[in-house]
């Protein structure tokens, strides 16, 4: 840790800020799970006020940080502390309290309006809010400053140092390769586009039992972890010792519930395996969103959707969902890995998912760059969906209104989903050098994989920047070829 008195003092002064973060996480978790719908205004007010207190507390650290910057000879932990605090400080020094408060307030209100608009497929109802949000995001980008495209300023908030050049490079390699693999899968028919198991209704209590057994398989701790239900599953990490996930139960197509549980558990495993010595410090969080998403995708797709994992989970499926008995392991595996282009991102399979992200990336880049009006966005959305996925959405609830992100002001967030897939591919490539993953999964020894991930990445928390972490681990950054090789081998070999 740190023997440096300046850094030690910063860590001490950071503790109340950590506590505010903790409280904010709980407010957000509650808003998505149990808060009554009419409570959004006072909740928005409370969140805005809490954010202001946090901003004041952060700004009080500025003097200490500039003092610490003059010190040489810092270790990785100390450098990490300063790097993460400086990123937050930079944000607070550039973003005025008014802009911060406006964003909090509007996004809280907009999220409630978006829910209603989506239900009614009524884009005009949401349009005014989206215009306000895009305008605030443009102001934010200008205040933060950027090199190249203004969108870089927003992406940097979620994925440190990420630029449109990085994302353009990733997509330019990914898309033609994914198209090629997709065409081959569709023409060969080895993996079905639809499967009878998709339409079989399940009992929610029985499916919950399956999910609880999967949590046991993954070794999720009972005392520091819990799972609830929400329409859009998510993970909230309040501490190294308090991680909450949600999953969904739609009554049929049980794989959706199963893989939501595994995906969010992947996020949870990361946060629960951060070294406890980092608790209450700025490093007690996972790395960037892209790196975080790499962990959830790794568990969901590379492990969960493998033939070997199907074997491991099959007995529990048969025991709890009687209709599964009519299908052997191979059939269930084909159901898990069915490939069906869909207009809905959250329903997308491993192969088509990145097309959805490319679409959102293009729209966001254009909206923030001022090349597209909000009123033109639904039509462009539909055109791009047709171009990439080959399907035109029936209405705006199936199109531009499908995601919660924009209502919450999350511009610059979507690209991290594809980066997550890309980095997960890099992890898969790397772990195979150290162990026979298929054999480990076949034996159900998932703890070995968890331990490997803990040592390689989780224990460090946010000590290293995402690009730095990748260079240390893989000797390269955001290399999409690893993902392509994995998909190629799995779906076309
Ligand atoms: Zn995720």
């Amino acid at each position: 840790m740190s023997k440096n008195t300046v850094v030690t003092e910063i860590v001490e002064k950071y503790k109340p800020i950590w506590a505010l973060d903790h409280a904010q996480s709980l407010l957000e978790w509650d808003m998505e799970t149990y808060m009554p719908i009419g409570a959004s205004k006072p909740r928005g007010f409370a969140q805005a006020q809490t954010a202001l207190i946090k901003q004041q507390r952060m700004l009080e650290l500025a003097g200490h940080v500039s003092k610490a910057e003059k010190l040489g000879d810092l270790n990785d932990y100390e450098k990490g502390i300063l790097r993460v605090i400086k990123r937050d400080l930079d944000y607070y020094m550039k973003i005025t309290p008014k802009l911060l408060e406006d964003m909090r307030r509007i996004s809280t209100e907009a999220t409630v309006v978006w829910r209603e608009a989506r239900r009614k497929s009524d884009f005009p109802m949401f349009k005014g809010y989206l215009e306000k949000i895009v305008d605030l995001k443009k102001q934010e980008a200008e205040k933060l400053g950027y090199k190249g495209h203004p969108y870089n300023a927003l992406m940097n908030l979620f994925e440190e140092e990420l630029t449109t050049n990085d994302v353009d490079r990733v997509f330019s390699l990914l898309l033609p390769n994914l198209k090629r693999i997709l065409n081959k899968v569709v023409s060969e028919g080895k993996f079905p586009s639809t499967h009878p198991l998709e339409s079989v209704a399940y009992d929610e209590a029985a499916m919950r039992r399956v999910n609880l057994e999967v949590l046991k398989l993954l070794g999720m701790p009972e005392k520091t972890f819990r799972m609830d239900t929400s329409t859009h599953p998510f993970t909230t990490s309040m501490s190294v010792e308090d991680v909450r996930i949600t999953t969904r139960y739609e009554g049929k197509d049980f794989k959706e519930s199963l893989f939501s549980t595994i995906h969010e558990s992947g996020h949870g495993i990361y946060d629960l395996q951060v070294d406890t010595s980092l608790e209450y410090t700025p490093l007690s969080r996972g790395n960037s969103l892209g790196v975080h998403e790499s962990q959830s995708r790794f568990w969901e797709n590379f492990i969960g959707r493998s033939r070997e994992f199907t074997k491991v989970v099959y007995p529990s499926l048969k025991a709890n969902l009687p209709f599964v008995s009519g299908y052997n392991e191979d059939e269930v595996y084909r159901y898990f890995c069915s490939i069906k282009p869909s207009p809905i991102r959250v329903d997308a399979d491993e192969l088509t998912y990145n097309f959805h992200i490319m679409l959102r990336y293009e729209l966001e880049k254009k909206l923030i760059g001022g090349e597209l009006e909000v009123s033109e966005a639904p039509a462009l959305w539909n055109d791009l969906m047709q171009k990439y996925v080959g399907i035109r959405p029936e209405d705006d609830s199936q199109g531009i209104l499908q995601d919660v992100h924009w209502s919450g002001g999350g511009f610059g967030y979507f690209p991290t989903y594809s980066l997550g897939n890309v980095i997960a591919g890099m992890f898969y490539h790397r772990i195979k050098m150290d162990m026979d993953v298929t054999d480990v999964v076949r034996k159900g020894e998932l703890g070995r994989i968890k331990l490997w991930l803990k040592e390689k990445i989780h224990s460090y928390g946010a000590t290293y920047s995402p690009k730095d972490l990748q260079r240390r681990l893989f000797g390269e950054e955001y290399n999409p070829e690893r993902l392509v090789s994995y998909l190629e081998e799995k779906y076309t070999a």
Side-chain angles (χ1 to χ4, degrees):
M1 300 293 94
S2 183
K3 292 199 176 78
N4 185 304
T5 51
V6 184
V7 178
T8 311
E9 202 179 341
I10 292 172
V11 169
E12 208 48 45
K13 286 197 179 294
Y14 187 81
K15 285 177 181 169
I17 298 169
W18 186 94
L20 286 169
D21 269 341
H22 185 78
Q24 278 184 331
S25 301
L26 185 57
L27 292 178
E28 277 160 26
W29 175 81
D30 175 68
M31 190 171 90
E32 297 294 331
T33 50
Y34 298 113
M35 187 187 84
I37 189 165
S40 66
K41 278 208 172 165
R43 180 56 50 90
F45 177 79
Q47 283 177 315
Q49 291 295 316
T50 318
L52 281 174
I53 302 173
K54 185 184 165 185
Q55 180 168 16
Q56 287 158 7
R57 287 282 184 157
M58 281 300 298
L59 290 169
E60 286 166 19
L61 287 177
H64 296 79
V65 170
S66 55
K67 208 157 109 190
E69 277 189 287
K70 295 186 188 96
L71 305 165
D73 210 22
L74 296 173
N75 63 29
D76 285 3
Y77 166 79
E78 294 162 339
K79 280 185 209 156
I81 295 273
L82 292 182
R83 193 190 94 256
V84 172
I85 290 188
K86 264 176 68 185
R87 266 173 66 76
D88 282 354
L89 253 184
D90 189 53
Y91 182 81
Y92 287 122
M93 286 167 92
K94 289 173 177 172
I95 299 300
T96 58
K98 176 162 185 329
L99 185 59
L100 189 75
E101 209 213 311
D102 283 352
M103 278 194 295
R104 280 266 175 189
R105 188 171 41 76
I106 287 171
S107 64
T108 305
E109 285 174 30
T111 302
V112 177
V113 174
W114 163 78
R115 279 208 188 98
E116 187 75 356
R118 179 173 180 258
R119 197 174 59 76
K120 295 178 176 164
S121 190
D122 185 349
F123 183 75
M125 184 179 172
F126 181 58
K127 182 175 156 270
Y129 278 96
L130 187 55
E131 279 167 347
K132 274 187 215 161
I133 289 167
V134 168
D135 182 53
L136 289 171
K137 289 284 134 183
K138 282 181 182 169
Q139 289 181 39
E140 191 182 3
E142 289 309 318
K143 284 196 165 37
L144 290 170
Y146 50 84
K147 273 191 205 135
H149 200 286
Y151 188 57
N152 289 345
L154 301 180
M155 287 200 298
N156 175 59
L157 296 174
F158 300 106
E159 190 76 7
E160 198 171 341
E161 301 173 329
L162 184 71
T163 66
T164 52
N165 289 342
D166 294 319
V167 184
D168 290 342
R169 174 179 60 80
V170 166
F171 280 132
S172 68
L173 193 133
L174 215 43
L175 288 163
N177 279 297
L178 293 179
K179 278 262 181 206
R180 179 176 52 78
I181 299 171
L182 179 65
N183 289 341
K184 200 162 177 222
V185 173
V186 170
S187 69
E188 284 177 354
K190 198 166 105 188
F191 290 88
S193 64
T194 54
H195 193 281
L197 279 170
E198 281 163 24
S199 44
V200 183
Y202 61 77
D203 174 52
E204 188 176 319
M207 190 59 218
R208 189 172 156 75
R209 286 199 298 277
V210 171
N211 284 337
L212 291 174
E213 285 185 34
V214 167
L215 295 183
K216 271 212 182 95
L217 266 173
L218 293 170
M220 305 311 289
E222 278 176 21
K223 288 186 177 162
T224 53
F225 171 86
R226 64 173 285 140
M227 178 172 71
D228 292 88
T229 307
S230 70
T231 319
H232 296 274
F234 65 95
T235 300
T236 304
S237 297
M238 291 181 222
S239 146
V240 177
E241 294 158 305
D242 185 355
V243 172
R244 300 158 192 222
I245 68 164
T246 63
T247 191
R248 53 179 172 156
Y249 297 98
E250 286 151 331
K252 61 174 189 166
D253 202 3
F254 73 87
K255 72 172 183 312
E256 299 300 332
S257 178
L258 175 69
F259 288 111
S260 289
T261 302
I262 299 175
H263 177 100
E264 301 305 332
S265 294
H267 283 300
I269 289 168
Y270 189 172
D271 292 320
L272 288 162
Q273 294 207 114
V274 170
D275 198 282
T276 47
S277 66
L278 300 179
E279 185 82 303
Y280 315 137
T281 78
L283 304 182
S284 67
R285 53 182 102 161
N287 205 289
S288 69
L289 287 192
V291 175
H292 226 297
E293 194 65 8
S294 77
Q295 299 308 290
S296 55
R297 298 286 160 150
F298 179 81
W299 285 102
E300 178 192 352
N301 291 332
F302 294 73
I303 305 297
R305 283 192 163 87
S306 67
R307 178 64 184 82
E308 294 74 26
F309 187 80
T310 309
K311 179 185 161 65
V312 172
V313 78
Y314 187 68
S316 166
L317 294 174
K318 263 201 336 189
N320 291 294
L321 308 172
F323 55 85
V324 172
S325 302
Y327 302 86
N328 64 26
E329 277 177 34
D330 276 325
E331 269 304 315
V332 173
Y333 173 60
R334 278 157 52 81
Y335 161 60
F336 285 171
C337 299
S338 57
I339 296 293
K340 186 188 186 184
S342 155
I344 307 294
R345 177 182 59 86
V346 295
D347 292 342
D349 51 70
E350 275 185 282
L351 272 179
T352 54
Y353 192 89
N354 297 297
F355 297 134
H356 291 266
I357 302 308
M358 173 87 187
L359 176 156
R360 287 153 178 78
Y361 168 69
E362 281 190 35
L363 259 83
E364 289 192 356
K365 207 165 72 164
K366 283 192 161 76
L367 284 168
I368 299 302
E371 301 155 59
L372 181 74
E373 295 297 324
V374 166
S375 59
E376 302 164 331
L380 181 61
W381 181 291
N382 294 344
D383 290 347
L384 289 177
M385 190 64 75
Q386 178 80 55
K387 183 176 155 194
Y388 296 145
V389 182
I391 298 174
R392 204 164 186 87
E394 283 169 23
D395 55 30
D396 288 335
S397 76
Q398 303 272 306
I400 195 165
L401 288 173
Q402 67 180 271
D403 298 308
V404 68
H405 304 63
W406 288 352
S407 69
F411 275 76
Y413 188 117
F414 278 117
T416 66
Y417 287 129
S418 281
L419 296 182
N421 290 328
V422 165
I423 301 168
M426 295 163 83
F427 269 103
Y428 190 65
H429 176 78
R430 179 65 189 78
I431 195 173
K432 285 196 294 182
M433 293 177 190
D434 290 352
M435 66 176 81
D436 182 347
V437 182
T438 49
D439 189 53
V440 169
V441 177
R442 190 181 300 117
K443 290 178 183 155
E445 295 173 350
L446 303 179
R448 285 181 60 192
I449 298 173
K450 277 175 71 176
L451 188 62
W452 186 90
L453 290 168
K454 181 178 182 171
E455 285 167 358
K456 291 280 183 265
I457 158 173
H458 298 171
S459 61
Y460 299 108
T463 303
Y464 304 106
S465 76
K467 286 186 175 178
D468 196 12
L469 184 82
Q470 289 175 73
R471 283 191 294 263
R472 294 170 66 95
L473 266 174
F474 313 121
E476 56 187 11
E477 300 162 15
Y478 307 115
N479 181 359
E481 288 169 41
R482 311 301 187 197
L483 174 65
V484 170
S485 315
Y486 151 78
L487 291 170
E488 185 127 49
E489 193 185 321
K490 175 170 179 178
Y491 286 98
T492 71

